[in-house]
Amino acid sequence: MKSRKEYQEQDVVRVLGRWGDRKPSYSVAQQEKRRSAFLSTGLALLGGTGKVIAAGKHAADASMTMGTKIALGILSTAILAVGSYVGVILYTNLISPIDRTPTLTATLPASNEPMPGQVTAFPNGTPTVSATATFVPTVTSISETASAESDPTNSGLHLGQTPHPRPTKKPKP
Amino acid sequence: MKESELIKAARKFDRDALRTIFDSYSPAIYEYAFRLCRDDIEADNIVGDVFAILLEQLADGKGPKSDIKSHLFQITYGVINDRTQSSRRLSPMETANFTEEPAASLPYLTESEDELEAVISAMDTELTADQRQVLVLRFVEGFNVRETATIIGKTENNVKVIQNRGLEKLRQAMNQKFGTQS
């Protein structure tokens, strides 16, 4: 029959110490596998080039060489330049025309070219004013195609407003 | 090779230095992990994690400055805590085998084995994770109070308090099983 005693802290420490004397063995196979993985990772961190990663740098930086960084820099600069060029082209072709006062073009018939605002006498004797030229007051020469641009500062038109031909006065007989 | 030179070489990922560190300390890390998780595969995984973290630290220019062993135990303490918190899977006592020595070599075998089994069992059931780790570090692995405080990241006074509470719980458990009630 076991004698019952009162355990003290020293007894607990003694038992724990005995536990420490019994060391669980680390399997040689497991240890070898871990060692190989550890050394392989250590070698990989060198980037395979023998270069040592500078202190303070992350391990991931090791794989990015200076050449790679330069190539990335050139690539990003090229992308930026192409983007800017496309932006300018788009602005010139699409955005800018909307802002500009529209250009009006009038085609005059090949025959019977009336002068703007000029009274033309017809065989029936009825004086008329060429309606097609009423809104081109500054045409100075007669050709197949006459064009005139309104002066945006003097036209009195708002942006996008279409100019209407001014009513012309009928000449007094 | 002095430890400071070993650390310096390890920072340069010198293969021999890394091998020396692994061969010197991996068995101790395994033992410590095995005592706390009671599973050889889990303990082996913890060894893998600890040395992987060591490599990350070396790559970051961190890692041990003077005492490699304490530093590795510090990492191990964190890894075990993380694993314990993420999964409360401790293997049952039946799978643990701490009695590898031949039975005839132990005097008063039955009583000693009963005591040891009772202490180990009480460590699982009665102690907090910190108390368990402190007692293992102090009385099984042989670290002093200062080293233990460094490893678990607490003050020496904290370590003493944790240690005394843990010992008292184990003492009560042993008295409950074998001795007089206190």
Side-chain angles (χ1 to χ4, degrees), chain A residues 14-34:
Chain A
R14 175 178 51 81
V15 174
L16 287 172
R18 209 166 63 234
W19 187 25
D21 293 338
R22 300 178 184 183
K23 299 186 181 303
S25 61
Y26 194 6
S27 139
V28 175
Q30 284 178 318
Q31 192 175 6
E32 180 54 38
K33 188 187 70 179
R34 290 294 171 193

Side-chain angles (χ1 to χ4, degrees), chain B residues 50-77:
Chain B
V50 167
F51 282 92
I53 291 171
L54 175 68
L55 283 178
E56 286 178 14
Q57 292 180 342
L58 291 173
D60 280 343
K62 299 173 185 170
K65 291 181 174 58
S66 57
D67 189 349
I68 299 176
K69 186 181 179 186
S70 288
H71 187 82
L72 287 172
F73 270 80
Q74 196 174 348
I75 298 173
T76 311
Y77 172 79

